[in-house]
Amino acid sequence: MATNRMFRTCPSTGLVFHQPAERLMMANAVAAAVFLLFGGILAIMVVLTRWPAVHLLAADRFYQVLTGHGINMLIFWVIFFEIAVLYFCSSTLLKSRLATPGLAWAAFWLMVIGALINNYAVFWRDDSSVMMTSYAPMGAHWSFYLGLILFAVGALVACFVFFGTLVVAKSERTYVGSVPLVTFGAITAAIIAVFTIASGAIILIPTFLWSLGLISHIDPLMYHTIWWAFGHSSQQINVAAHIAVWYAIAAIVFGAKPLSERVSRSAFLLYILFLQLASAHHLLVDPGLSETWKIFNTSYAMYLAVLASMVHGLTVPGAIEAAQREKGYTHGLFEWLRKAPWGNPVFSGMFISLVGFGFLGGISGVMMGTLQLNTLIHNTLYVPGHFHATVVIGTSLAFMALTYFLIPTLFRREVMFPTIAKWQPYVFGLGMTGVALFLMAAGTLGVPRRDWDITGAGNAFPYSFPGSAFLMLGLAAISGLIAITGGAMYLLNTVGSVFFGKRIQTPDFQHVRAAEGVAPSPKPVAAAIGSYHPGGGGALVAPGTFILALVFLVSFVLYYFINWKYLATVWPMR
Amino acid sequence: MAHATDIDAAPEEEIPEEPIPAMQQLLDNPFLLLFLGVVIPTVFYLIWGVMEILSIPLIK
């Protein structure tokens, strides 16, 4: 079909942008940053309240702020950014027009309105401090659920715009054969998103009706089970999306090709088939569900998804090593890593994300997903420690790193404060590593999550934690403030560059006949990120990565068995 | 197998005639993947879990 469309080609990268898709990417990315800003301000108050020496907020205000922090960060910030990533991976990488831009705008506004309504319920109505999980029978105002439903419907529509764009690209032959690996990762994220949002609808719509008095009651266990198919799977969208971003950045910065397309795609397939089942680890201590259901979904299915994560953890740095060695960095095992562009925030952010996600989030996630070990840390601060490693170091930092690439290519602006950008991933990564480690340490000592006052002061049954627990909380708070500083550095640079940065003059949009192709032969970046490499980047020419993988495996095994030993010491039967 | 994303680089006459492996066909079909990615967790997590909850005897 020969249709005239508005496209532009980035002169430095060769990436092709469709005008409506570009505007939608910008809108979703800006919305993401706005909710990150709001969630970040709330994070200051959460941190300063859980710091026992400060204890800033009163109890009711703390639970309200914690509710808003969780939803704005875990749902609104990441999903808005992920929608931008989906449009980038479909329209831009496939050089295709975006399917139904009007519908995509409707999806965007539904998400914005839903997010605003939800925040209205939490902050303006002041009667919906039910945490992100909003466990029934603890009820919120109906607008709380309505906001989430509208947001979810908008995100679902955006996912189908993404799938529609894949159809358009194939039918208009903007590519032939297989989609690029990065787009395949985005397909994985979108598939998980469809299951996630459908599960959310299954449980949130009746809960909404219950809040209106149209349904007499919601069974708590049923709510718990179905809600986690939404609540945890939403974080699995993040995993698939940020791993797609890792592959993208490896291609952007190094021109790296995957070590093996087949292996990487098979790993994404394991995510598609099994990653959502890991939601069951939230129910490992719930009554009513059999051990068979729990163990199948976690210790069998989840481990296949963990295997996929370990594959990605090997192949992404392996691809970088192979690319670096091709450039001549062949001395010893780690010259490729020492000579990597550590001053480039696109790379440093991505690499810190990879290491933090693997060592902190991955290992702790496997521990939590083991039925017996889970009892050590269930509903303790260990859980927020874990997901600050996966979602914040893993996902948020990867998205931040990608932003530094998108500012000049998508927004066509120069980065306003390059020195701040250079240091930002380190400040944010270091701070958030401290948050994750110290929260997990406090959780190991039994400190509960979501608790305004762990001492239970004034209660009939106060509890006395060891002094080390308070030390861990204090260190977590200090680390949190460092991470918040890193987040502020990111937002300062992002907002400053996008709205006030120096404009980069590039050829503007022009009508292009789709049937004639929408771009000239790709430049190196576009060729690396937007192509299928059937043979991969080469055989295993990454000995340094292999050593790093062995270090990871030793850490993994040691930590796993230390926890079994720890479990043996707390077992009440002697 | 010759795969590319740039139509300039892969004109139609270069598309191979050899059969595409089944695994490749699966990975190249996003809607089949979508079907699997929704059905498997729906069966093993949601339906199985809900059936177990519904089978809990009610107090009399």
Side-chain angles (χ1 to χ4, degrees), chain A residues 186-225:
Chain A
I187 290 172
T188 305
I191 289 170
I192 296 171
V194 171
F195 170 78
T196 300
I197 296 164
S199 303
I202 291 169
I203 198 60
L204 287 175
I205 290 174
T207 311
F208 168 63
L209 297 175
W210 168 68
S211 70
L212 288 170
L214 299 173
I215 288 179
S216 62
H217 83 288
I218 297 286
D219 180 77
L221 183 55
M222 193 72 84
Y223 180 94
H224 208 183
T225 304

mmCIF file of all heavy atoms in Angstrom, chain A residues 186-225:
data_model
loop_
_atom_site.group_PDB
_atom_site.id
_atom_site.type_symbol
_atom_site.label_atom_id
_atom_site.label_comp_id
_atom_site.label_asym_id
_atom_site.label_seq_id
_atom_site.Cartn_x
_atom_site.Cartn_y
_atom_site.Cartn_z
ATOM 1 N N ALA A 186 9.927 -6.002 23.414
ATOM 2 C CA ALA A 186 8.747 -5.166 23.636
ATOM 3 C C ALA A 186 7.461 -5.982 23.435
ATOM 4 O O ALA A 186 6.471 -5.778 24.153
ATOM 5 C CB ALA A 186 8.768 -3.973 22.686
ATOM 6 N N ILE A 187 7.476 -6.908 22.482
ATOM 7 C CA ILE A 187 6.310 -7.789 22.298
ATOM 8 C C ILE A 187 6.072 -8.592 23.580
ATOM 9 O O ILE A 187 4.937 -8.738 24.046
ATOM 10 C CB ILE A 187 6.536 -8.739 21.095
ATOM 11 C CG1 ILE A 187 6.500 -7.955 19.784
ATOM 12 C CG2 ILE A 187 5.491 -9.857 21.073
ATOM 13 C CD1 ILE A 187 6.898 -8.780 18.559
ATOM 14 N N THR A 188 7.162 -9.089 24.158
ATOM 15 C CA THR A 188 7.053 -9.836 25.420
ATOM 16 C C THR A 188 6.404 -8.973 26.499
ATOM 17 O O THR A 188 5.478 -9.417 27.201
ATOM 18 C CB THR A 188 8.462 -10.285 25.878
ATOM 19 O OG1 THR A 188 9.064 -11.031 24.820
ATOM 20 C CG2 THR A 188 8.404 -11.117 27.131
ATOM 21 N N ALA A 189 6.871 -7.730 26.614
ATOM 22 C CA ALA A 189 6.315 -6.822 27.625
ATOM 23 C C ALA A 189 4.829 -6.582 27.364
ATOM 24 O O ALA A 189 4.008 -6.581 28.291
ATOM 25 C CB ALA A 189 7.082 -5.503 27.618
ATOM 26 N N ALA A 190 4.465 -6.399 26.097
ATOM 27 C CA ALA A 190 3.069 -6.102 25.763
ATOM 28 C C ALA A 190 2.169 -7.309 26.046
ATOM 29 O O ALA A 190 1.030 -7.152 26.509
ATOM 30 C CB ALA A 190 2.964 -5.689 24.297
ATOM 31 N N ILE A 191 2.669 -8.512 25.782
ATOM 32 C CA ILE A 191 1.876 -9.721 26.060
ATOM 33 C C ILE A 191 1.625 -9.848 27.563
ATOM 34 O O ILE A 191 0.491 -10.106 28.004
ATOM 35 C CB ILE A 191 2.601 -10.967 25.515
ATOM 36 C CG1 ILE A 191 2.551 -10.968 23.985
ATOM 37 C CG2 ILE A 191 1.988 -12.246 26.072
ATOM 38 C CD1 ILE A 191 3.437 -12.013 23.328
ATOM 39 N N ILE A 192 2.678 -9.650 28.345
ATOM 40 C CA ILE A 192 2.509 -9.717 29.798
ATOM 41 C C ILE A 192 1.544 -8.626 30.255
ATOM 42 O O ILE A 192 0.722 -8.833 31.157
ATOM 43 C CB ILE A 192 3.880 -9.603 30.507
ATOM 44 C CG1 ILE A 192 4.754 -10.806 30.132
ATOM 45 C CG2 ILE A 192 3.717 -9.527 32.011
ATOM 46 C CD1 ILE A 192 6.197 -10.705 30.600
ATOM 47 N N ALA A 193 1.611 -7.469 29.593
ATOM 48 C CA ALA A 193 0.713 -6.363 29.959
ATOM 49 C C ALA A 193 -0.741 -6.732 29.712
ATOM 50 O O ALA A 193 -1.626 -6.381 30.506
ATOM 51 C CB ALA A 193 1.092 -5.103 29.170
ATOM 52 N N VAL A 194 -1.018 -7.434 28.632
ATOM 53 C CA VAL A 194 -2.414 -7.801 28.338
ATOM 54 C C VAL A 194 -2.956 -8.712 29.438
ATOM 55 O O VAL A 194 -4.064 -8.496 29.955
ATOM 56 C CB VAL A 194 -2.512 -8.481 26.954
ATOM 57 C CG1 VAL A 194 -3.904 -9.073 26.738
ATOM 58 C CG2 VAL A 194 -2.196 -7.473 25.851
ATOM 59 N N PHE A 195 -2.167 -9.735 29.825
ATOM 60 C CA PHE A 195 -2.617 -10.621 30.910
ATOM 61 C C PHE A 195 -2.783 -9.828 32.205
ATOM 62 O O PHE A 195 -3.762 -9.995 32.947
ATOM 63 C CB PHE A 195 -1.610 -11.760 31.117
ATOM 64 C CG PHE A 195 -1.889 -12.562 32.357
ATOM 65 C CD1 PHE A 195 -2.902 -13.503 32.377
ATOM 66 C CD2 PHE A 195 -1.152 -12.363 33.525
ATOM 67 C CE1 PHE A 195 -3.182 -14.233 33.531
ATOM 68 C CE2 PHE A 195 -1.425 -13.091 34.678
ATOM 69 C CZ PHE A 195 -2.432 -14.024 34.673
ATOM 70 N N THR A 196 -1.822 -8.953 32.479
ATOM 71 C CA THR A 196 -1.837 -8.168 33.708
ATOM 72 C C THR A 196 -3.094 -7.316 33.799
ATOM 73 O O THR A 196 -3.800 -7.302 34.814
ATOM 74 C CB THR A 196 -0.600 -7.240 33.726
ATOM 75 O OG1 THR A 196 0.571 -8.039 33.663
ATOM 76 C CG2 THR A 196 -0.564 -6.378 34.962
ATOM 77 N N ILE A 197 -3.375 -6.601 32.719
ATOM 78 C CA ILE A 197 -4.493 -5.658 32.745
ATOM 79 C C ILE A 197 -5.824 -6.409 32.768
ATOM 80 O O ILE A 197 -6.774 -5.995 33.442
ATOM 81 C CB ILE A 197 -4.384 -4.698 31.550
ATOM 82 C CG1 ILE A 197 -3.111 -3.846 31.695
ATOM 83 C CG2 ILE A 197 -5.603 -3.809 31.455
ATOM 84 C CD1 ILE A 197 -2.693 -3.137 30.430
ATOM 85 N N ALA A 198 -5.886 -7.537 32.061
ATOM 86 C CA ALA A 198 -7.113 -8.338 32.100
ATOM 87 C C ALA A 198 -7.359 -8.835 33.528
ATOM 88 O O ALA A 198 -8.506 -8.801 34.016
ATOM 89 C CB ALA A 198 -6.984 -9.521 31.139
ATOM 90 N N SER A 199 -6.298 -9.263 34.212
ATOM 91 C CA SER A 199 -6.455 -9.718 35.602
ATOM 92 C C SER A 199 -6.909 -8.556 36.489
ATOM 93 O O SER A 199 -7.761 -8.738 37.375
ATOM 94 C CB SER A 199 -5.126 -10.270 36.134
ATOM 95 O OG SER A 199 -4.662 -11.306 35.315
ATOM 96 N N GLY A 200 -6.349 -7.384 36.245
ATOM 97 C CA GLY A 200 -6.756 -6.207 37.004
ATOM 98 C C GLY A 200 -8.236 -5.924 36.815
ATOM 99 O O GLY A 200 -8.968 -5.633 37.770
ATOM 100 N N ALA A 201 -8.694 -6.062 35.573
ATOM 101 C CA ALA A 201 -10.117 -5.812 35.300
ATOM 102 C C ALA A 201 -10.988 -6.830 36.017
ATOM 103 O O ALA A 201 -12.041 -6.487 36.581
ATOM 104 C CB ALA A 201 -10.366 -5.869 33.796
ATOM 105 N N ILE A 202 -10.540 -8.104 36.030
ATOM 106 C CA ILE A 202 -11.338 -9.163 36.650
ATOM 107 C C ILE A 202 -11.592 -8.871 38.127
ATOM 108 O O ILE A 202 -12.674 -9.137 38.650
ATOM 109 C CB ILE A 202 -10.625 -10.533 36.496
ATOM 110 C CG1 ILE A 202 -10.636 -10.970 35.031
ATOM 111 C CG2 ILE A 202 -11.285 -11.600 37.357
ATOM 112 C CD1 ILE A 202 -9.740 -12.171 34.753
ATOM 113 N N ILE A 203 -10.605 -8.295 38.807
ATOM 114 C CA ILE A 203 -10.779 -8.072 40.242
ATOM 115 C C ILE A 203 -11.168 -6.634 40.575
ATOM 116 O O ILE A 203 -11.908 -6.382 41.528
ATOM 117 C CB ILE A 203 -9.516 -8.499 41.035
ATOM 118 C CG1 ILE A 203 -9.860 -8.683 42.500
ATOM 119 C CG2 ILE A 203 -8.357 -7.548 40.853
ATOM 120 C CD1 ILE A 203 -10.904 -9.725 42.773
ATOM 121 N N LEU A 204 -10.692 -5.651 39.800
ATOM 122 C CA LEU A 204 -10.974 -4.258 40.183
ATOM 123 C C LEU A 204 -12.391 -3.831 39.820
ATOM 124 O O LEU A 204 -12.985 -2.991 40.509
ATOM 125 C CB LEU A 204 -9.947 -3.317 39.540
ATOM 126 C CG LEU A 204 -8.544 -3.368 40.149
ATOM 127 C CD1 LEU A 204 -7.572 -2.494 39.371
ATOM 128 C CD2 LEU A 204 -8.573 -2.923 41.619
ATOM 129 N N ILE A 205 -12.957 -4.392 38.749
ATOM 130 C CA ILE A 205 -14.329 -3.994 38.387
ATOM 131 C C ILE A 205 -15.330 -4.444 39.462
ATOM 132 O O ILE A 205 -16.129 -3.625 39.941
ATOM 133 C CB ILE A 205 -14.696 -4.505 36.973
ATOM 134 C CG1 ILE A 205 -13.880 -3.711 35.936
ATOM 135 C CG2 ILE A 205 -16.190 -4.366 36.710
ATOM 136 C CD1 ILE A 205 -14.020 -4.198 34.514
ATOM 137 N N PRO A 206 -15.294 -5.718 39.915
ATOM 138 C CA PRO A 206 -16.205 -6.058 41.016
ATOM 139 C C PRO A 206 -15.903 -5.282 42.296
ATOM 140 O O PRO A 206 -16.835 -4.939 43.045
ATOM 141 C CB PRO A 206 -15.997 -7.558 41.229
ATOM 142 C CG PRO A 206 -14.911 -7.978 40.335
ATOM 143 C CD PRO A 206 -14.621 -6.901 39.367
ATOM 144 N N THR A 207 -14.623 -4.981 42.546
ATOM 145 C CA THR A 207 -14.304 -4.207 43.759
ATOM 146 C C THR A 207 -14.859 -2.795 43.650
ATOM 147 O O THR A 207 -15.346 -2.222 44.641
ATOM 148 C CB THR A 207 -12.774 -4.175 43.979
ATOM 149 O OG1 THR A 207 -12.272 -5.504 43.865
ATOM 150 C CG2 THR A 207 -12.428 -3.643 45.346
ATOM 151 N N PHE A 208 -14.811 -2.248 42.444
ATOM 152 C CA PHE A 208 -15.415 -0.933 42.197
ATOM 153 C C PHE A 208 -16.922 -0.988 42.472
ATOM 154 O O PHE A 208 -17.484 -0.109 43.153
ATOM 155 C CB PHE A 208 -15.123 -0.537 40.746
ATOM 156 C CG PHE A 208 -15.887 0.644 40.229
ATOM 157 C CD1 PHE A 208 -15.725 1.898 40.787
ATOM 158 C CD2 PHE A 208 -16.788 0.501 39.177
ATOM 159 C CE1 PHE A 208 -16.432 2.995 40.301
ATOM 160 C CE2 PHE A 208 -17.488 1.582 38.688
ATOM 161 C CZ PHE A 208 -17.317 2.833 39.253
ATOM 162 N N LEU A 209 -17.578 -2.042 41.979
ATOM 163 C CA LEU A 209 -19.018 -2.189 42.206
ATOM 164 C C LEU A 209 -19.311 -2.389 43.693
ATOM 165 O O LEU A 209 -20.302 -1.883 44.224
ATOM 166 C CB LEU A 209 -19.561 -3.367 41.384
ATOM 167 C CG LEU A 209 -19.435 -3.210 39.866
ATOM 168 C CD1 LEU A 209 -19.878 -4.476 39.143
ATOM 169 C CD2 LEU A 209 -20.231 -2.011 39.365
ATOM 170 N N TRP A 210 -18.418 -3.099 44.367
ATOM 171 C CA TRP A 210 -18.556 -3.294 45.821
ATOM 172 C C TRP A 210 -18.454 -1.953 46.561
ATOM 173 O O TRP A 210 -19.210 -1.671 47.488
ATOM 174 C CB TRP A 210 -17.467 -4.268 46.276
ATOM 175 C CG TRP A 210 -17.255 -4.386 47.738
ATOM 176 C CD1 TRP A 210 -18.125 -4.918 48.659
ATOM 177 C CD2 TRP A 210 -16.095 -3.982 48.477
ATOM 178 N NE1 TRP A 210 -17.575 -4.876 49.906
ATOM 179 C CE2 TRP A 210 -16.339 -4.313 49.829
ATOM 180 C CE3 TRP A 210 -14.884 -3.395 48.128
ATOM 181 C CZ2 TRP A 210 -15.398 -4.048 50.834
ATOM 182 C CZ3 TRP A 210 -13.956 -3.143 49.123
ATOM 183 C CH2 TRP A 210 -14.218 -3.464 50.456
ATOM 184 N N SER A 211 -17.526 -1.104 46.101
ATOM 185 C CA SER A 211 -17.363 0.202 46.751
ATOM 186 C C SER A 211 -18.590 1.091 46.549
ATOM 187 O O SER A 211 -18.835 2.008 47.320
ATOM 188 C CB SER A 211 -16.104 0.910 46.226
ATOM 189 O OG SER A 211 -16.288 1.318 44.884
ATOM 190 N N LEU A 212 -19.356 0.794 45.493
ATOM 191 C CA LEU A 212 -20.594 1.550 45.244
ATOM 192 C C LEU A 212 -21.793 0.925 45.963
ATOM 193 O O LEU A 212 -22.905 1.455 45.896
ATOM 194 C CB LEU A 212 -20.890 1.587 43.733
ATOM 195 C CG LEU A 212 -19.972 2.465 42.881
ATOM 196 C CD1 LEU A 212 -20.231 2.211 41.401
ATOM 197 C CD2 LEU A 212 -20.187 3.944 43.207
ATOM 198 N N GLY A 213 -21.577 -0.217 46.594
ATOM 199 C CA GLY A 213 -22.664 -0.897 47.298
ATOM 200 C C GLY A 213 -23.494 -1.802 46.409
ATOM 201 O O GLY A 213 -24.548 -2.285 46.820
ATOM 202 N N LEU A 214 -23.034 -2.049 45.192
ATOM 203 C CA LEU A 214 -23.805 -2.872 44.262
ATOM 204 C C LEU A 214 -23.495 -4.359 44.432
ATOM 205 O O LEU A 214 -24.219 -5.213 43.911
ATOM 206 C CB LEU A 214 -23.515 -2.444 42.816
ATOM 207 C CG LEU A 214 -23.889 -0.988 42.504
ATOM 208 C CD1 LEU A 214 -23.421 -0.603 41.112
ATOM 209 C CD2 LEU A 214 -25.400 -0.777 42.637
ATOM 210 N N ILE A 215 -22.409 -4.677 45.115
ATOM 211 C CA ILE A 215 -22.046 -6.068 45.420
ATOM 212 C C ILE A 215 -21.863 -6.133 46.931
ATOM 213 O O ILE A 215 -21.289 -5.216 47.536
ATOM 214 C CB ILE A 215 -20.740 -6.465 44.690
ATOM 215 C CG1 ILE A 215 -21.011 -6.626 43.185
ATOM 216 C CG2 ILE A 215 -20.155 -7.754 45.250
ATOM 217 C CD1 ILE A 215 -19.776 -6.983 42.383
ATOM 218 N N SER A 216 -22.365 -7.229 47.542
ATOM 219 C CA SER A 216 -22.403 -7.259 49.013
ATOM 220 C C SER A 216 -21.012 -7.400 49.631
ATOM 221 O O SER A 216 -20.700 -6.759 50.632
ATOM 222 C CB SER A 216 -23.316 -8.387 49.487
ATOM 223 O OG SER A 216 -22.796 -9.628 49.045
ATOM 224 N N HIS A 217 -20.181 -8.268 49.094
ATOM 225 C CA HIS A 217 -18.848 -8.398 49.671
ATOM 226 C C HIS A 217 -17.876 -8.968 48.644
ATOM 227 O O HIS A 217 -18.276 -9.563 47.649
ATOM 228 C CB HIS A 217 -18.874 -9.270 50.928
ATOM 229 C CG HIS A 217 -18.819 -10.735 50.648
ATOM 230 N ND1 HIS A 217 -19.891 -11.419 50.107
ATOM 231 C CD2 HIS A 217 -17.823 -11.639 50.829
ATOM 232 C CE1 HIS A 217 -19.540 -12.698 49.968
ATOM 233 N NE2 HIS A 217 -18.297 -12.851 50.388
ATOM 234 N N ILE A 218 -16.597 -8.752 48.927
ATOM 235 C CA ILE A 218 -15.519 -9.316 48.104
ATOM 236 C C ILE A 218 -14.767 -10.303 48.987
ATOM 237 O O ILE A 218 -14.343 -9.951 50.093
ATOM 238 C CB ILE A 218 -14.545 -8.205 47.636
ATOM 239 C CG1 ILE A 218 -15.250 -7.197 46.737
ATOM 240 C CG2 ILE A 218 -13.326 -8.805 46.928
ATOM 241 C CD1 ILE A 218 -15.556 -7.682 45.347
ATOM 242 N N ASP A 219 -14.616 -11.527 48.494
ATOM 243 C CA ASP A 219 -13.889 -12.530 49.269
ATOM 244 C C ASP A 219 -12.409 -12.139 49.339
ATOM 245 O O ASP A 219 -11.760 -11.960 48.301
ATOM 246 C CB ASP A 219 -14.026 -13.902 48.596
ATOM 247 C CG ASP A 219 -13.282 -14.971 49.377
ATOM 248 O OD1 ASP A 219 -13.805 -15.392 50.413
ATOM 249 O OD2 ASP A 219 -12.153 -15.333 48.962
ATOM 250 N N PRO A 220 -11.857 -11.986 50.550
ATOM 251 C CA PRO A 220 -10.467 -11.507 50.664
ATOM 252 C C PRO A 220 -9.447 -12.415 49.966
ATOM 253 O O PRO A 220 -8.517 -11.920 49.329
ATOM 254 C CB PRO A 220 -10.231 -11.479 52.173
ATOM 255 C CG PRO A 220 -11.582 -11.381 52.775
ATOM 256 C CD PRO A 220 -12.504 -12.135 51.860
ATOM 257 N N LEU A 221 -9.618 -13.733 50.100
ATOM 258 C CA LEU A 221 -8.644 -14.635 49.489
ATOM 259 C C LEU A 221 -8.737 -14.599 47.961
ATOM 260 O O LEU A 221 -7.717 -14.628 47.263
ATOM 261 C CB LEU A 221 -8.853 -16.068 49.998
ATOM 262 C CG LEU A 221 -7.851 -17.107 49.497
ATOM 263 C CD1 LEU A 221 -6.408 -16.700 49.786
ATOM 264 C CD2 LEU A 221 -8.139 -18.469 50.114
ATOM 265 N N MET A 222 -9.973 -14.505 47.478
ATOM 266 C CA MET A 222 -10.158 -14.409 46.026
ATOM 267 C C MET A 222 -9.524 -13.108 45.512
ATOM 268 O O MET A 222 -8.841 -13.092 44.483
ATOM 269 C CB MET A 222 -11.659 -14.441 45.697
ATOM 270 C CG MET A 222 -11.979 -14.662 44.259
ATOM 271 S SD MET A 222 -11.632 -16.350 43.750
ATOM 272 C CE MET A 222 -13.124 -17.179 44.252
ATOM 273 N N TYR A 223 -9.751 -12.023 46.260
ATOM 274 C CA TYR A 223 -9.161 -10.737 45.880
ATOM 275 C C TYR A 223 -7.629 -10.847 45.861
ATOM 276 O O TYR A 223 -6.966 -10.442 44.898
ATOM 277 C CB TYR A 223 -9.597 -9.647 46.872
ATOM 278 C CG TYR A 223 -9.015 -8.286 46.535
ATOM 279 C CD1 TYR A 223 -9.728 -7.372 45.769
ATOM 280 C CD2 TYR A 223 -7.726 -7.929 46.951
ATOM 281 C CE1 TYR A 223 -9.183 -6.141 45.439
ATOM 282 C CE2 TYR A 223 -7.180 -6.708 46.618
ATOM 283 C CZ TYR A 223 -7.906 -5.818 45.863
ATOM 284 O OH TYR A 223 -7.360 -4.604 45.530
ATOM 285 N N HIS A 224 -7.112 -11.411 46.943
ATOM 286 C CA HIS A 224 -5.664 -11.535 47.092
ATOM 287 C C HIS A 224 -5.056 -12.282 45.899
ATOM 288 O O HIS A 224 -4.059 -11.864 45.312
ATOM 289 C CB HIS A 224 -5.382 -12.297 48.393
ATOM 290 C CG HIS A 224 -4.082 -11.968 49.032
ATOM 291 N ND1 HIS A 224 -3.629 -12.588 50.164
ATOM 292 C CD2 HIS A 224 -3.132 -11.085 48.714
ATOM 293 C CE1 HIS A 224 -2.460 -12.101 50.506
ATOM 294 N NE2 HIS A 224 -2.129 -11.183 49.648
ATOM 295 N N THR A 225 -5.695 -13.399 45.554
ATOM 296 C CA THR A 225 -5.159 -14.256 44.490
ATOM 297 C C THR A 225 -5.199 -13.552 43.135
ATOM 298 O O THR A 225 -4.196 -13.512 42.407
ATOM 299 C CB THR A 225 -5.962 -15.576 44.427
ATOM 300 O OG1 THR A 225 -5.932 -16.188 45.717
ATOM 301 C CG2 THR A 225 -5.381 -16.529 43.396
#
